Amino acid sequence: FDIALCIEQAIDNAENNKWHTPEEEPVPSGKYAEEDFPQIPCLVQFKYNDYGVRYWNVTYKCWDDEDCDDYYCDMGKVKRWAYIREE
């Protein structure tokens, strides 16, 4: 992912109230809905206000790392999250 594009989307999401709380799980849509084990790319804001791209692992209900292959943290460890638009 292009980090500059993610930051631009974060600003857009914040301005349009598209941020989600940790209580809301990302829902697979588009090409991700067709996958057997979907992992949804999202922009997340962590508890200490840093940002990153992480993948919501629908099967295991956790955030995977930026390489989309290892556990990163549980849902409650993020402050908020937003979908990254498919381009």
Side-chain angles (χ1 to χ4, degrees):
F1 283 94
D2 178 344
I3 194 67
L5 177 61
C6 290
I7 292 169
E8 180 183 320
Q9 288 179 7
I11 293 166
D12 179 56
N13 285 336
E15 290 173 351
N16 293 303
N17 295 318
K18 294 180 184 174
W19 284 102
H20 300 272
T21 66
E23 291 77 29
E24 301 172 85
E25 284 186 21
V27 177
S29 64
K31 69 179 182 180
Y32 303 107
E34 299 170 11
E35 296 178 359
D36 291 332
F37 302 101
Q39 292 172 295
I40 306 164
C42 297
L43 181 69
V44 297
Q45 180 181 12
F46 298 100
K47 299 279 183 177
Y48 299 106
N49 293 323
D50 52 332
Y51 291 84
V53 174
R54 296 295 182 267
Y55 291 79
W56 177 249
N57 186 318
V58 174
T59 304
Y60 293 104
K61 309 281 188 214
C62 66
W63 292 107
D64 285 341
D65 66 6
E66 60 273 0
D67 295 323
C68 197
D69 62 355
D70 289 318
Y71 168 86
Y72 186 79
C73 68
D74 292 329
M75 174 59 96
K77 298 292 182 183
V78 302
K79 187 173 183 178
R80 60 187 183 165
W81 62 270
Y83 290 106
I84 294 176
R85 293 187 303 263
E86 293 181 51
E87 299 296 326

